[in-house]
Amino acid sequence: CFKDGEPVTVDPVSNRRVVDFGKGVGSREVFLYNLPEVATCHETLGIPSVSARFGTSPGIWNGAMLLLSKLPRPVSRSRAFAGAMAALSDPIVRLVDKIEGEKVAMRVEIEWSDGAVTCSLFNHPSLRTAVGAATAAFADAALAGDTPAGVWVPEQTEAVPLRKDLLEKCAAPIGAIMILGKSPWRLGSDSVQLGMGLYVDR
């Protein structure tokens, strides 16, 4: 994280917060993670305070990630251990995905210097479809000549100058919901908490 321009170190999978990701996804628990976008947004856009959160559903997976974060570094960085955990969890993840689905959602909140908050939201019922559409949108921009030669992180203006066109293409797949630049209360869903990180829409 960055706070007032200074890096802040916090424990991974910490500072739990429940966030509403809108209709179709509802409220989900998220935790602070060291995601690369934190550094690139701070450095590229000059934003003094940046943090990123991540979560998955059902909530038991977040608990598993918390337990893994407590392992000694030599263990957690071991390729053999990572491979064994992936092999162990893969069939369970696939089974749960058939029950829970593979929805994906992102919410961006900007707090301005005057205290006002602006939010944007994207969600889609299929992670693989959403990733495919986003990848195709970036490739299309490059092929159309909108992106100059070079290697860019998405936050850089040079990556995709025509941001509105890119976002419209990302939201093109059937089922996608994209809301840009609204007040937080305009993004909400009507969900009910069942417990253990499980929520359902009314």
Side-chain angles (χ1 to χ4, degrees):
C1 300
F2 286 88
K3 179 68 174 178
D4 298 327
E6 297 297 325
V8 178
T9 301
V10 297
D11 292 334
V13 201
S14 62
N15 290 270
R16 177 183 182 272
R17 182 184 296 176
V18 175
V19 175
D20 193 334
F21 289 98
K23 186 174 178 58
V25 176
S27 297
R28 294 289 187 269
E29 59 179 3
V30 292
F31 303 82
L32 285 176
Y33 272 78
N34 183 25
L35 300 179
E37 292 82 1
V38 173
T40 54
C41 282
H42 173 72
E43 295 167 4
T44 303
L45 304 178
I47 302 173
S49 299
V50 185
S51 64
R53 295 172 182 270
F54 176 85
T56 188
S57 185
I60 190 170
W61 295 126
N62 295 317
M65 292 297 290
L66 176 60
L67 291 176
L68 288 174
S69 73
K70 303 300 183 184
L71 292 174
R73 288 202 173 197
V75 176
S76 62
R77 292 184 175 181
S78 165
R79 287 181 177 270
F81 176 78
M85 290 301 298
L88 176 67
S89 62
D90 182 67
I92 303 172
V93 170
R94 292 179 184 273
L95 176 62
V96 172
D97 280 351
K98 290 181 179 179
I99 301 170
E100 182 73 13
E102 55 165 324
K103 298 174 183 176
V104 61
M106 292 177 283
R107 176 170 171 153
V108 178
E109 295 187 3
I110 301 174
E111 182 175 349
W112 304 96
S113 56
D114 63 359
V117 177
T118 301
C119 294
S120 293
L121 172 76
F122 172 85
N123 73 46
H124 193 278
S126 171
L127 170 63
R128 70 188 79 184
T129 300
V131 170
T135 303
F138 275 99
D140 185 61
L143 292 172
D146 296 336
T147 302
V151 178
W152 315 100
V153 296
E155 292 80 16
Q156 290 178 293
T157 303
E158 295 87 350
V160 182
L162 303 175
R163 293 301 169 111
K164 184 178 179 182
D165 292 348
L166 175 78
L167 293 174
E168 288 176 352
K169 291 174 183 176
C170 290
I174 295 173
I177 296 175
M178 182 173 287
I179 304 171
L180 301 175
K182 303 294 183 182
S183 298
W185 65 269
R186 297 187 64 184
L187 306 184
S189 65
D190 190 11
S191 59
V192 177
Q193 182 178 11
L194 300 179
M196 295 183 65
L198 295 174
Y199 297 79
V200 295
D201 287 337
R202 287 180 178 172

